Amino acid sequence: MKKIIQQAPLFLLTIPLVFLINAANHYYKLLNWSLIIFPMLLYGLVSVPVYFLISKLFRSREKGGIYTGLLLIIFYFFSAFHQWLKFSAPAPISRYSYILPILVILLLLAFFYIRRSGRSFQNIFYVFNSILLLMVAAGLLLYGFKMVSHAERLNDQADPEKKLAAGYQPCSQCIKPDIYFILLDGYTNSKTLQSEFGYDNSSIEKKKKKKGFQVIKDSRSNYNFTHMSI
């Protein structure tokens, strides 16, 4: 097993898996996998010839693996790193005009260092593969915990703890308006939720219709307009 971790390019599989599992945990039960799997498989297939090409250029699979792994990490996690910079670093540093030139310079330095280095990268290769395997295992355990604990309930971003609903006191003697007009501003329409995220939003519309609401669908936009006349 140790020999496989030291020599096999497991990162070609584990880096995409870490990305996928992290996304699945972060957006638990909100992803439409039919829109994700094919691009991920395509990226994985493309990375194989890239790995062998770089390994041939370095004349070492260990060196080629280290550099290919670095490229894959940048490819899959650059967006997350960029978002972190936006919130953690001064404004100029997070701009592409700063980040991209620095990234290119670092990649060139890494390329020439790895290529000219006379050291064996087998131990680094082993550590690299081991860390990624542990990250995959941890991500799968977290996903299993979310399944057991029904973590999808936390996706209710409006009021996850239902404090507003729990504290609501109906008033039977209050004067009520004759029309209720509800505009779900910023809430994607049911058609887009179904096609892009695989989420069935029809239950909300059905509940409104049962209470006498009329759902007005505007084909020119992504909004649903709802009103009820008393």
Side-chain angles (χ1 to χ4, degrees):
M1 184 65 181
K2 183 177 180 180
K3 188 176 181 180
I4 294 175
I5 298 176
Q6 283 180 331
Q7 298 179 359
L10 300 177
F11 56 86
L12 294 176
L13 177 63
T14 52
I15 291 177
L17 275 178
V18 169
F19 176 82
L20 273 177
I21 295 170
N22 180 67
N25 284 324
H26 188 73
Y27 302 103
Y28 183 67
K29 290 294 182 75
L30 293 177
L31 294 177
N32 187 348
W33 291 102
S34 63
L35 301 175
I36 299 172
I37 296 300
F38 178 74
M40 293 299 298
L41 289 174
L42 180 62
Y43 298 152
L45 290 174
V46 170
S47 65
V48 174
V50 170
Y51 160 68
F52 284 107
L53 181 63
I54 294 176
S55 296
K56 187 175 181 179
L57 190 63
F58 284 141
R59 297 179 181 178
S60 168
R61 289 191 177 184
E62 287 81 13
K63 292 182 178 181
I66 295 297
Y67 196 75
T68 305
L70 180 61
L71 293 177
L72 289 176
I73 288 173
I74 293 172
F75 177 78
Y76 283 106
F77 299 102
F78 176 80
S79 178
F81 174 71
H82 186 227
Q83 289 295 322
W84 175 79
L85 276 182
K86 283 184 177 180
F87 293 102
S88 305
I93 297 178
S94 62
R95 294 176 183 172
Y96 287 111
S97 58
Y98 284 84
I99 297 176
L100 294 182
I102 293 173
L103 188 60
V104 170
I105 292 172
L106 291 175
L107 285 173
L108 287 173
L109 290 174
F111 178 86
F112 288 111
Y113 170 76
I114 295 173
R115 187 179 183 185
R116 295 182 178 181
S117 177
R119 62 176 294 185
S120 172
F121 285 84
Q122 194 174 74
N123 290 334
I124 297 177
F125 204 81
Y126 175 75
V127 172
F128 186 48
N129 274 332
S130 298
I131 291 174
L132 288 168
L133 286 171
L134 289 174
M135 291 178 70
V136 169
L140 290 174
L141 286 174
L142 179 59
Y143 192 85
F145 174 76
K146 286 178 178 288
M147 291 178 64
V148 173
S149 61
H150 300 286
E152 65 272 10
R153 297 170 184 171
L154 299 177
N155 291 330
D156 185 355
Q157 300 298 314
D159 185 20
E161 297 181 2
K162 298 294 182 289
K163 292 180 180 179
L164 294 176
Y168 173 72
Q169 297 293 330
C171 178
S172 58
Q173 298 178 352
C174 296
I175 299 176
K176 299 180 180 179
D178 56 352
I179 294 177
Y180 291 87
F181 185 84
I182 302 173
L183 174 61
L184 302 179
D185 186 23
Y187 189 85
T188 308
N189 66 359
S190 298
K191 182 179 179 181
T192 304
L193 286 172
Q194 181 64 51
S195 62
E196 299 298 327
F197 299 97
Y199 179 76
D200 186 6
N201 192 55
S202 61
S203 60
I204 296 178
E205 295 184 3
K206 289 177 182 178
K207 288 179 181 178
K208 289 179 180 178
K209 289 178 180 179
K210 285 183 180 180
K211 293 185 178 181
F213 282 87
Q214 179 184 1
V215 178
I216 304 174
K217 299 182 178 180
D218 186 354
S219 59
R220 298 169 299 175
S221 68
N222 286 333
Y223 296 111
N224 287 348
F225 302 92
T226 308
H227 80 279
M228 179 174 69
S229 300
I230 305 298

